[in-house]
Amino acid sequence: MNEIVSTITHYVKQKLENEGSGHDWHHIERVVQHAEVIAKAEGANDFVCIVAALVHDLADDKIAPSEAEGLKEVERLLEDVNREEREHIIEIISSISFKGGNRPPVTTLEAQVVQDADRLDAIGAIGIARTFVYAGAKGDLIHDPSITVRDNMTPETYRSGQSTAINHFYEKLLHLKELMNTTKGKELAQQRHKFMEHFLNQFHDEWAGRK
């Protein structure tokens, strides 16, 4: 198993080390670290969690030409993983993405662990930094008060509709604390959520000239 993890790690690192939207190798590495911590606390299958965390962005349409093509790539990468665990990993990476927030809850403990691990990297100080990197990569503005915060988004409008970096906090990031699945994930999300709230208060005060 260690050899499988090592091979997959090498592949993903090479593929994503220069990715420029905040979904790079360092993001993957942090999600793996979060997944290990949460899996241990929750009693989940650590191999499934680690491998799913390693490959979770390969089928995402921010990275792959399409989800179908990305899943085929992941299946090839997992050819040495036993069938049951391979199917579980594919199920996890197909179900954990936010995509507007209207998706059904994930159904296995390992999916909950990896989803929480990924969401932890979307909040707090690193989440703030990634938000602005991603907005820049998409060509979105930092802030425009005339652009309203969206809700009840489809995956298509979430990806392609007009938004801003600051709106992204209200459309997604500030909701993640309440969407965490595991006890450990909820615990780790608390301080990061508070940090984002402090940041946004400071941002809006500076924007309005109050500070």
Side-chain angles (χ1 to χ4, degrees), residues 60-97:
D60 194 292
D61 57 10
K62 296 185 294 292
I63 304 297
S66 70
E67 184 176 358
E69 289 183 52
L71 288 174
K72 287 180 181 178
E73 178 183 17
V74 172
E75 288 173 353
R76 290 193 298 269
L77 192 57
L78 301 182
E79 61 184 3
D80 292 330
V81 177
N82 73 61
R83 180 179 175 181
E84 182 180 351
E85 290 182 324
R86 181 169 66 248
E87 290 177 352
H88 192 179
I89 292 164
I90 294 294
E91 178 190 357
I92 290 170
I93 68 171
S94 299
S95 62
I96 64 170
S97 183

Side-chain angles (χ1 to χ4, degrees), residues 82-159:
N82 73 61
R83 180 179 175 181
E84 182 180 351
E85 290 182 324
R86 181 169 66 248
E87 290 177 352
H88 192 179
I89 292 164
I90 294 294
E91 178 190 357
I92 290 170
I93 68 171
S94 299
S95 62
I96 64 170
S97 183
F98 184 75
K99 293 186 177 178
N102 295 309
R103 307 188 77 194
V106 294
T107 57
T108 69
L109 175 59
E110 287 72 24
Q112 292 178 341
V113 168
V114 179
Q115 188 174 65
D116 282 3
D118 190 29
R119 286 175 170 175
L120 279 173
D121 208 53
I123 59 178
I126 287 176
I128 291 169
R130 292 181 65 225
T131 295
F132 290 101
V133 168
Y134 185 62
K138 285 184 64 183
D140 288 344
L141 298 173
I142 292 174
H143 183 43
D144 182 345
S146 70
I147 299 176
T148 58
V149 173
R150 303 169 297 168
D151 57 14
N152 296 317
M153 293 173 284
T154 66
E156 291 74 24
T157 56
Y158 174 66
R159 279 281 182 263

Side-chain angles (χ1 to χ4, degrees), residues 2-204:
N2 288 338
E3 185 176 343
I4 292 173
V5 171
S6 179
T7 299
I8 294 171
T9 298
H10 178 73
Y11 179 91
V12 176
K13 184 176 182 178
Q14 282 199 317
K15 183 177 180 69
L16 297 181
E17 61 184 349
N18 294 316
E19 200 280 331
S21 76
H23 300 83
D24 55 17
W25 164 248
H26 297 294
H27 162 64
I28 300 295
E29 192 172 34
R30 291 189 301 270
V31 173
V32 170
Q33 291 170 349
H34 299 328
E36 288 180 299
V37 169
I38 299 171
K40 182 178 180 180
E42 302 293 331
N45 181 320
D46 59 345
F47 175 76
V48 168
C49 292
I50 289 168
V51 174
L54 281 167
V55 302
H56 80 276
D57 271 343
L58 295 185
D60 194 292
D61 57 10
K62 296 185 294 292
I63 304 297
S66 70
E67 184 176 358
E69 289 183 52
L71 288 174
K72 287 180 181 178
E73 178 183 17
V74 172
E75 288 173 353
R76 290 193 298 269
L77 192 57
L78 301 182
E79 61 184 3
D80 292 330
V81 177
N82 73 61
R83 180 179 175 181
E84 182 180 351
E85 290 182 324
R86 181 169 66 248
E87 290 177 352
H88 192 179
I89 292 164
I90 294 294
E91 178 190 357
I92 290 170
I93 68 171
S94 299
S95 62
I96 64 170
S97 183
F98 184 75
K99 293 186 177 178
N102 295 309
R103 307 188 77 194
V106 294
T107 57
T108 69
L109 175 59
E110 287 72 24
Q112 292 178 341
V113 168
V114 179
Q115 188 174 65
D116 282 3
D118 190 29
R119 286 175 170 175
L120 279 173
D121 208 53
I123 59 178
I126 287 176
I128 291 169
R130 292 181 65 225
T131 295
F132 290 101
V133 168
Y134 185 62
K138 285 184 64 183
D140 288 344
L141 298 173
I142 292 174
H143 183 43
D144 182 345
S146 70
I147 299 176
T148 58
V149 173
R150 303 169 297 168
D151 57 14
N152 296 317
M153 293 173 284
T154 66
E156 291 74 24
T157 56
Y158 174 66
R159 279 281 182 263
S160 59
Q162 186 182 37
S163 190
T164 67
I166 292 298
N167 280 10
H168 187 62
F169 288 90
Y170 300 98
E171 292 170 352
K172 175 183 177 181
L173 306 187
L174 291 173
H175 299 291
L176 295 183
K177 176 174 70 74
E178 300 304 323
L179 294 174
M180 301 298 281
N181 303 287
T182 65
T183 300
K184 187 65 174 179
K186 292 174 182 177
E187 173 192 324
L188 294 171
Q190 296 299 318
Q191 190 274 335
R192 294 181 183 224
H193 180 87
K194 289 178 182 178
F195 187 88
M196 289 194 302
E197 290 181 323
H198 290 317
F199 167 79
L200 288 167
N201 288 336
Q202 179 74 19
F203 180 93
H204 289 302

